[in-house]
Amino acid sequence: TPFDMAPTLSYGYFQSAHLDSVKIHPAGYAVGVSFKNSKLEIIKIPDQGVEDSKAEPAIPASGFGVRQGLLNGPIAIAITANGRILVLEQLNKRVQSFDLNGNPSPCFDGATIVTLDAATFAPDLNKGLVSTALRQQFAINETRLTDHWRILDGSLPYDITPNDSGSLSITLSGATLSDQWTIKDTSASYPVQTEGNKLVVYVDGAPAFDLDETARSYLERSTVSDTIVATFEQNNLILSPQAEATGNGLTIALSEEDSLAMKVISEPIERALASRGITLSDSAVVIDIVTIKIEKTSGKWILTDGDTALSYKIETDASQSTVLNAVQYLPFMALHSPDKSDTVTYLDIGAEMQGYVYVLQYTGDGTKLSDYLLDIYEPSGKWLSRTPDTSLDANATGVNGGRLVVDMWRNIFTVNFEHFLGPGGRTEPSISTWIPTTSR
């Protein structure tokens, strides 16, 4: 079917004027990157085209930088079989993985953290539980999983985290759930006590007085509001702009981490909340901020720390089924560079059905056939091979293409630098097929 070279309708537009690679995602999106602007843009392709003036813009999903989720010199895109967007970065010398929302998508193995006994840890992992023992094993090996849980009761989130006093603090949407506060000013301190439904301020050598109940929400956030200042003035006390409130908070013993890790609301937690007049409903649940995705029962688990945005993979050892290996799980992989002095220009990236990644590049100025290299990486991000490999074949030549596509049989199709005259005398690039060798 010939292309319509004179379209009259638009299906969206990219905001970057300079695009170096555009791919169509099977979920119905167009994805583009700009080397000049270090931008990734994603747009949903509508079912029907519209006039140019009504076309929707692509959403910029990344920007310039070196941290995960940011780009520096993106040059090419590949879409994996499971829908991940792989971006080849010239200047960061890496491949980075994104989801369709433009979020970093961990899929590559990083450094090993710890090896674990499968019989001890697999049962809890299969239940979606990050046990205290697992957290301790990570911590011993200098990788700390966040100790943060949330009791969700309807729309009310009670967050539980460690504090500097060696216990656990319970807060509600940032409020400290205190029942006592001290308002500290430059020259004096004023205790505030909860007495029934009242907030009572005590003053040395003067009568106590009440604060309006609305003051509680400000005190809970260590704020001295204008209303509180006005109430003090009515009682002949002047608060300076430096005045602040500190509450006693609501705490439970650090040992309650064990029950929280098992997603159990213990009696001590219920009693602590009851001391502030809070009774949890039967539908209240414990949510661990460190989540587990079970990819293979008793075989592979992905841990994601919601507070740090870091991920980890725990997987059964390929040679010892009694051992689990825990590794960092990263959204990027470094590119193979055995000779740091080489000037490398990356051209394109491809991905085959099983997740193997192909990176096309050349060294030097790219004028010689031997300048062109094709690196293949395992799905984990580990470098696997390079073509040409003269140690196997002294006459091996490079893959001298400008762009590539990999099919399900791992054949490679390249758009070449040479050209010929096509229909109507139109200049077109030549295309080559590269067939992989079979094992001997």
Side-chain angles (χ1 to χ4, degrees):
T1 302
F3 286 104
D4 180 2
M5 303 304 291
T8 58
L9 298 176
S10 294
Y11 292 80
Y13 66 92
F14 290 101
Q15 300 187 63
S16 294
H18 305 274
L19 287 177
D20 295 87
S21 182
V22 175
K23 291 291 170 67
I24 301 301
H25 194 283
Y29 290 78
V31 184
V33 290
S34 166
F35 177 91
K36 181 178 180 180
N37 299 321
S38 287
K39 290 286 187 182
L40 168 68
E41 295 189 33
I42 302 172
I43 185 169
K44 175 68 174 176
I45 302 173
D47 294 332
Q48 301 293 328
V50 296
E51 297 176 7
D52 289 354
S53 61
K54 298 179 180 178
E56 293 291 330
I59 298 173
S62 185
F64 171 77
V66 298
R67 293 184 301 173
Q68 69 177 44
L70 301 177
L71 299 170
N72 190 3
I75 197 68
I77 304 170
I79 309 296
T80 66
N82 61 2
R84 288 182 289 109
I85 301 166
L86 300 182
V87 179
L88 175 63
E89 297 180 67
Q90 172 69 48
L91 302 181
N92 276 338
K93 300 184 185 303
R94 67 184 180 184
V95 172
Q96 193 165 185
S97 174
F98 295 87
D99 63 21
L100 266 176
N101 294 315
N103 300 313
S105 178
C107 60
F108 302 119
D109 290 356
T112 297
I113 299 169
V114 63
T115 57
L116 304 164
D117 176 60
T120 301
F121 293 96
D124 283 339
L125 290 168
N126 285 334
K127 298 174 185 176
L129 301 174
V130 184
S131 66
T132 303
L134 181 61
R135 281 180 157 89
Q136 291 171 346
Q137 286 297 311
F138 270 61
I140 289 170
N141 290 275
E142 300 181 349
T143 302
R144 191 161 197 82
L145 296 174
T146 301
D147 295 324
H148 182 182
W149 297 269
R150 178 171 295 142
I151 297 177
L152 190 62
D153 192 7
S155 61
L156 299 176
Y158 299 92
D159 287 284
I160 304 177
T161 54
N163 56 43
D164 295 335
S165 301
S167 57
L168 297 173
S169 293
I170 305 178
T171 60
L172 173 60
S173 300
T176 61
L177 298 178
S178 299
D179 63 356
Q180 300 177 23
W181 298 266
T182 299
I183 295 178
K184 295 181 179 180
D185 205 354
T186 53
S187 59
S189 295
Y190 306 97
V192 181
Q193 302 277 355
T194 300
E195 297 183 4
N197 294 323
K198 294 182 178 181
L199 295 175
V200 182
V201 180
Y202 289 90
V203 184
D204 287 341
F209 59 90
D210 296 345
L211 291 176
D212 188 273
E213 178 61 25
T214 58
R216 185 183 298 274
S217 62
Y218 292 97
L219 294 172
E220 284 283 75
R221 290 166 175 77
S222 303
T223 301
V224 177
S225 67
D226 291 342
T227 302
I228 293 174
V229 171
T231 303
F232 269 67
E233 287 181 357
Q234 292 169 8
N235 289 272
N236 301 314
L237 297 170
I238 303 301
L239 292 177
S240 73
Q242 287 74 39
E244 59 181 11
T246 303
N248 61 346
L250 178 59
T251 61
I252 54 177
L254 190 63
S255 58
E256 293 307 311
E257 285 186 333
D258 292 337
S259 61
L260 290 166
M262 296 295 105
K263 298 185 178 179
V264 173
I265 302 173
S266 65
E267 289 187 9
I269 295 174
E270 290 182 329
R271 287 197 300 269
L273 291 169
S275 72
R276 299 298 190 263
I278 298 168
T279 301
L280 296 175
S281 70
D282 293 338
S283 61
V285 295
V286 176
I287 298 172
D288 196 329
I289 300 303
V290 180
T291 60
I292 295 180
K293 179 183 178 183
I294 304 171
E295 294 206 345
K296 187 193 305 180
T297 302
S298 295
K300 184 178 179 182
W301 306 266
I302 306 301
L303 278 62
T304 301
D305 191 325
D307 281 356
T308 64
L310 298 177
S311 295
Y312 309 92
K313 182 178 74 173
I314 301 177
E315 191 169 24
T316 302
D317 188 272
S319 59
Q320 300 181 70
S321 61
T322 60
V323 173
L324 304 179
N325 296 317
V327 301
Q328 296 174 346
Y329 205 41
L330 306 174
F332 58 87
M333 69 175 195
L335 291 167
H336 180 62
S337 182
D339 188 346
K340 303 299 182 183
S341 64
D342 278 346
T343 300
V344 180
T345 299
Y346 298 103
L347 296 171
D348 206 358
I349 183 173
E352 54 83 73
M353 293 288 288
Q354 300 300 317
Y356 287 83
V357 178
Y358 293 64
V359 176
L360 182 63
Q361 63 208 276
Y362 68 77
T363 59
D365 59 7
T367 57
K368 301 187 295 294
L369 181 59
S370 59
D371 290 343
Y372 289 81
L373 306 168
L374 177 68
D375 283 338
I376 302 177
Y377 298 82
E378 295 180 1
S380 65
K382 179 182 178 182
W383 177 78
L384 179 62
S385 68
R386 168 166 283 184
T387 300
D389 187 344
T390 54
S391 67
L392 297 176
D393 182 353
N395 298 316
T397 59
V399 180
N400 58 325
R403 293 285 186 177
L404 65 79
V405 173
V406 186
D407 71 10
M408 62 187 298
W409 293 281
R410 296 175 179 166
N411 297 314
I412 299 173
F413 300 87
T414 59
V415 176
N416 304 322
F417 294 101
E418 67 177 351
H419 62 271
F420 63 91
L421 296 181
R426 185 173 61 207
T427 300
E428 297 183 2
S430 66
I431 296 175
S432 296
T433 303
W434 306 77
I435 301 173
T437 56
T438 57
S439 57
R440 298 175 182 176

